[in-house]
Amino acid sequence: MEVVSRTDPHLQEVVWFAVRCRALTLVLQALFNLLIPDHAADAFSPPRLSQPGLWDVLVEQLLGGLSRWDAEHFLFIAEHGYLYEHNCAFFPLYPLSLRAVAEGALWPLQWLLCVRSRLLLSAVLLNSLFSVLAAAALYQLGCVVLRCRRVAFLAAILFSVSPANVFMAAAYSESMFAFLAFSAMWQLEKGQSWLSGLLFSLAAGVRANGLVNAGFFLYSCSKCFALQLQVGSGAIRKVPQLWKQLFSVASSLVLMCAGIFLPFALFQYYAYVRFCGPGTSLEQTVPKPLVQLALDKGYCLAAPNGVKPPWCSQQVPVVYSYIQDTYWNVGFLRYFELRQIPNFLLALPVTLLGSWAACTYMIANPRHCLALGLERRKSEEEGKPRAGFCCPAVFVYVVHATVLLAFGFFCMHVQVLTRFLYSSSPILCWFSAHLLQEYEPLLWSEGTDDQTSAPRYEESLLGKSPGSCENPVVRLLLNCRSITPLSRCILGFFLSYWLLGLVLHCNFLPWT
């Protein structure tokens, strides 16, 4: 199969549009942060241990809006390590990367900026890079899976203005996770299983939901084995040969899944050693202001006075699930309270969009879904697979997104669904691009103004690319008065959540 060229003008447009969107995001957050006073939120806010200088104040004024809410945890961990028990809800690869950049590339700035300022600057640089690379990886993944460059291009452009945009810029791990996850999916589609496994493993070291990505390997191996059984004249295969194939598939699957689960297991072991091991003298190892913060807020330090946290005595001591249960009250239906209705309303657009995507795919491919995508289709045998969002290859991504949507809606703080899904799955961007491409006449190729039928996905990865890579989102925005109501709703959702996120999140106001 042909691989997307690095000189592809569509890929170049995706990269440059992502860069421009990131620059605009940084400018707008600085503006909103300067004009709007911060809300006095009851959030994690550790004291600064060093007196800020002039340049530190400048960095805080320009980029401080990107250090709100959970960003404080990541920056704190990067500076002080896993000092408090509840810090262990945040996985280590992202804060380690922040510290590496702050002590490496930004080391010459140590005479001007304190560690905290360099870490914040590192977060901005890394997230800007990762968000751009994630958009490029999403485009390349879309070209391989959808076999339609036009929809893949539009989806990657939409990702750059996604409703979760503020979290792609702030000191959160979403950008890094999206880049690793989309890149791993792309490599797996190309048949690069070991490289894909490495990227999925790194993603599991960034966010806990990276463990779910093991399902891609499970499905890939199962599908490969099922299709092998369907190839041939239909004669019964020899039993030893079947067992040999099954053993080969199973061993590869076990190794890949073990690699994905390894970062999680190592981090839980680290937390056990740190918080369940012998106590240390806090006065000598932890600065007094941070000890006082723990006393004031009730934070649990590492085995103070030899008293171990309750989870240390569990048969399988997993700190992550204990923190989610104890500190954040995460659990099945726990968030279903009347006072959480505003948060459910915040998550309503992404919930409806994700449900609509799943229903659309199942209605278009009922037999394929019932067979779990393991049945060889006649179109595949003829070498003419269907293109677009409803093509067979999208099945596993729909299942993945639906599982995340259901789990997030019933078991998590529902307002995080927007950033949770947009940083983990390509489905929402693919489906939004599918709707725009199918039902927006302005995007129909070579069509007349009175065209009433939706265009076919005639332009596939193996065919010619469109003659122009004009940015479709910009085109729709410039003609916003003439586009369909559906297009206005989709673009309105993307852009309004982008701007509202910058206004609210950057000033410590509740957001997704």
Side-chain angles (χ1 to χ4, degrees):
M1 177 177 292
E2 180 181 340
V3 178
V4 179
S5 172
R6 294 182 180 179
T7 59
D8 182 355
H10 298 83
L11 178 59
Q12 294 176 358
E13 175 60 23
V14 167
V15 170
W16 280 112
F17 184 71
V19 169
R20 292 193 291 268
C21 287
R22 185 59 54 238
L24 180 59
T25 296
L26 295 178
V27 171
L28 289 178
Q29 70 81 27
L31 183 63
F32 293 146
N33 194 35
L34 290 172
L35 296 179
I36 303 174
D38 288 344
H39 172 64
D42 184 20
F44 181 65
S45 183
R48 306 290 183 262
L49 301 183
S50 59
Q51 187 68 25
L54 178 62
W55 290 101
D56 295 314
V57 173
L58 179 61
V59 169
E60 188 66 28
Q61 288 181 341
L62 293 178
L63 303 176
L66 304 177
S67 64
R68 309 307 190 205
W69 298 106
D70 287 353
E72 284 285 3
H73 286 278
F74 286 112
L75 295 172
F76 181 83
I77 294 167
E79 184 174 0
H80 301 288
Y82 287 91
L83 185 60
Y84 303 128
E85 182 184 60
H86 66 291
N87 291 145
C88 292
F90 304 91
F91 278 37
L93 186 55
Y94 180 67
L96 283 174
S97 301
L98 295 183
R99 188 64 187 236
V101 174
E103 298 296 343
L106 301 183
W107 178 81
L109 299 179
Q110 64 176 327
W111 310 111
L112 299 176
L113 301 174
C114 66
V115 175
R116 154 80 184 195
S117 298
R118 282 185 282 132
L119 288 172
L120 181 55
L121 189 57
S122 299
V124 173
L125 295 175
L126 279 181
N127 283 16
S128 298
L129 174 63
F130 285 134
S131 61
V132 172
L133 293 177
L138 179 61
Y139 168 71
Q140 293 168 317
L141 174 66
C143 286
V144 176
V145 175
L146 303 175
R147 302 181 66 85
C148 179
R149 198 187 306 270
R150 188 178 294 116
V151 177
F153 177 55
L154 179 53
I157 293 295
L158 287 172
F159 177 80
S160 298
V161 292
S162 78
N165 202 282
V166 64
F167 299 102
M168 298 292 175
Y172 278 59
S173 58
E174 270 72 5
S175 288
M176 187 179 194
F177 183 80
F179 163 64
L180 291 172
F182 294 163
S183 298
M185 295 171 190
W186 176 44
Q187 294 300 327
L188 185 60
E189 291 290 345
K190 294 198 303 177
Q192 302 293 328
S193 299
W194 292 106
L195 178 55
S196 175
L198 174 61
L199 293 170
F200 274 137
S201 180
L202 292 174
V206 177
R207 293 182 61 84
N209 60 291
L211 298 177
V212 182
N213 292 330
F216 285 102
F217 276 109
L218 175 62
Y219 181 77
S220 177
C221 292
S222 301
K223 183 177 180 180
C224 180
F225 183 70
L227 293 182
Q228 284 180 356
L229 295 179
Q230 299 173 49
V231 173
S233 60
I236 300 177
R237 291 171 175 265
K238 295 181 179 180
V239 174
Q241 185 179 1
L242 285 176
W243 277 108
K244 183 178 180 181
Q245 291 179 347
L246 183 60
F247 177 77
S248 176
V249 170
S251 58
S252 299
L253 179 61
V254 169
L255 288 175
M256 292 298 181
C257 290
I260 294 176
F261 279 84
L262 182 62
F264 181 86
L266 290 177
F267 183 53
Q268 300 312 301
Y269 176 74
Y270 164 81
Y272 181 83
V273 171
R274 181 166 181 79
F275 290 93
C276 303
T280 56
S281 176
L282 295 180
E283 289 77 7
Q284 296 178 2
T285 59
V286 181
K288 290 184 178 180
L290 300 183
V291 175
Q292 188 61 45
L293 177 66
L295 296 175
D296 294 341
K297 297 290 186 179
Y299 298 154
C300 179
L301 286 161
N305 302 321
V307 179
K308 298 180 180 180
W311 62 272
C312 294
S313 304
Q314 296 176 353
Q315 186 174 3
V316 181
V318 178
V319 66
Y320 181 77
S321 57
Y322 172 80
I323 292 172
Q324 294 293 339
D325 175 66
T326 304
Y327 289 89
W328 278 278
N329 193 33
V330 171
F332 183 63
L333 298 182
R334 290 188 185 180
Y335 219 58
F336 281 65
E337 302 174 337
L338 288 177
R339 61 191 180 96
Q340 301 298 345
I341 289 179
N343 287 324
F344 276 90
L345 293 176
L346 273 178
L348 184 60
V350 73
T351 303
L352 293 177
L353 190 63
S355 302
W356 189 7
C359 290
T360 298
Y361 189 86
M362 288 189 293
I363 292 172
N365 303 277
R367 179 173 175 175
H368 187 68
C369 293
L370 288 175
L372 301 180
L374 302 179
E375 182 183 28
R376 183 175 293 275
R377 296 165 66 105
K378 183 177 294 185
S379 60
E380 293 178 355
E381 295 175 354
E382 295 173 354
K384 298 178 181 179
R386 185 177 179 181
F389 176 78
C390 294
C391 72
V394 178
F395 172 77
V396 65
Y397 298 93
V398 171
V399 173
H400 173 251
T402 305
V403 169
L404 293 181
L405 175 60
F407 178 79
F409 188 83
F410 291 107
C411 301
M412 295 171 55
H413 292 185
V414 72
Q415 68 269 25
V416 308
L417 263 180
T418 303
R419 60 184 172 96
F420 180 62
L421 288 174
Y422 274 97
S423 64
S424 305
S425 170
I427 282 296
L428 295 179
C429 289
W430 284 351
F431 184 61
S432 299
H434 162 78
L435 293 176
L436 291 175
Q437 187 66 52
E438 281 288 296
Y439 302 110
E440 178 50 63
L442 195 64
L443 297 180
W444 293 352
S445 60
E446 303 296 329
T448 59
D449 294 338
D450 59 349
Q451 185 175 2
T452 56
S453 60
R456 291 289 182 183
Y457 290 110
E458 71 281 357
E459 191 281 308
S460 71
L461 176 63
L462 300 181
K464 292 183 178 180
S465 61
S468 171
C469 60
E470 177 187 9
N471 192 310
V473 171
V474 173
R475 184 180 181 186
L476 292 176
L477 292 176
L478 293 177
N479 297 274
C480 59
R481 294 185 179 182
S482 60
I483 62 178
T484 64
L486 177 60
S487 299
R488 292 179 186 175
C489 288
I490 294 174
L491 294 179
F493 168 50
F494 275 69
L495 296 179
S496 63
Y497 268 56
W498 179 17
L499 293 176
L500 283 174
L502 290 172
V503 172
L504 297 176
H505 177 86
C506 294
N507 291 286
F508 258 130
L509 291 163
W511 187 236
T512 64

